Amino acid sequence: MHDELTKEDIKKMREELEYRRIELMPDLMAEVKRTREFGDLSENDEYKTAKRELNHNKGRIRYLEGMIKTAHVISDKSGEDEVGLFDKVEIYMPEDDETDIIQVVTTVRCDPRKGLISKESPFGKQVLGKKVGDRFTVHVNDSYSYEAEIRSIEKTKDDGSAPLMRF
């Protein structure tokens, strides 16, 4: 399976990889070595913590390398009057009588609490390609769905401000 990523996603991943390999890895390895000298490893919490952080860093490096290697690069191809990737969209939710501003982003940069909605989510799939005034239904699961309406679209580009998700 290939992940659909933008050029900016890949750029951010490469920057993080460089940081993790060049700056973070030597520091973590030095910390493991330093804490190993504290004595009995079975009761050495500092060593266990340092080792766990080193392993987490190695895992994140493998994850980023895999994502970059298998990425399918995408770009926004939406029309001037349609919702596309990274556009700011005002959404009206009749059920709550509220409006929200969201951006539809790639999966590796989503953060629903900040209005960054994955293009792969049920909501993101429904919003992409819609125009001002379009109403749509989001089917969350077999027993729950809700209505929404596009109130406005502000065409924007990926400025890199949406950070990569952590794991």
Side-chain angles (χ1 to χ4, degrees), residues 76-115:
D76 181 38
K77 292 182 171 59
S78 64
E80 281 301 310
D81 60 344
E82 298 175 332
V83 176
L85 279 176
F86 294 96
D87 293 342
K88 292 186 179 177
V89 184
E90 182 181 6
I91 304 284
Y92 173 65
M93 312 293 254
E95 186 176 300
D96 302 325
D97 194 30
E98 292 181 0
T99 59
D100 286 316
I101 304 293
I102 60 113
Q103 283 183 289
V104 181
V105 299
T106 55
T107 303
V108 296
R109 295 179 54 205
C110 69
D111 185 348
R113 294 168 298 176
K114 294 181 179 177

Side-chain angles (χ1 to χ4, degrees), residues 4-9 12 74-78 82-89 101-110 115-119 127-128 153-164:
E4 293 183 335
L5 304 174
T6 64
K7 288 180 182 180
E8 185 67 27
D9 292 335
K12 286 176 138 331
I74 60 169
S75 60
D76 181 38
K77 292 182 171 59
S78 64
E82 298 175 332
V83 176
L85 279 176
F86 294 96
D87 293 342
K88 292 186 179 177
V89 184
I101 304 293
I102 60 113
Q103 283 183 289
V104 181
V105 299
T106 55
T107 303
V108 296
R109 295 179 54 205
C110 69
L116 302 172
I117 308 300
S118 168
K119 70 181 204 61
V127 171
L128 282 176
I153 303 169
E154 179 187 336
K155 298 301 280 183
T156 61
K157 300 285 182 202
D158 182 2
D159 63 4
S161 63
L164 292 174

